[in-house]
Amino acid sequence: MRYLALAATALLLASCSNGRWEPGGSFFDPLCMPDGSVVMYEYPNSGGKYDEVTANRANCPWNKTKT
């Protein structure tokens, strides 16, 4: 029960931010930036605009093929 309350609190806090769910992906299949970091939420820059998103599934370390 404690973990359920913790998860509900985390979801509530995440819904209060001013960004937007962009570029996409999901918790189990996220998108990654070119450096391999996971991206699930995009925030506007200081001018209030959303820059071009370079995240995609191919950048994720677990989706890269070994050569």
Side-chain angles (χ1 to χ4, degrees), residues 2-64:
R2 224 180 321 176
Y3 296 111
L4 181 62
L6 182 62
T9 302
L11 285 174
L12 180 65
L13 291 174
S15 67
C16 295
S17 61
N18 353 339
R20 64 180 180 177
W21 286 102
E22 188 66 41
S26 67
F27 183 77
F28 295 108
D29 190 20
L31 303 178
C32 297
M33 292 301 284
D35 66 355
S37 60
V38 174
V39 174
M40 296 185 82
Y41 207 71
E42 179 185 5
Y43 292 96
N45 61 18
S46 59
K49 305 238 188 238
Y50 292 89
D51 295 331
E52 180 182 345
V53 179
T54 57
N56 61 42
R57 286 182 177 86
N59 292 334
C60 297
W62 50 88
N63 287 335
K64 290 186 177 181

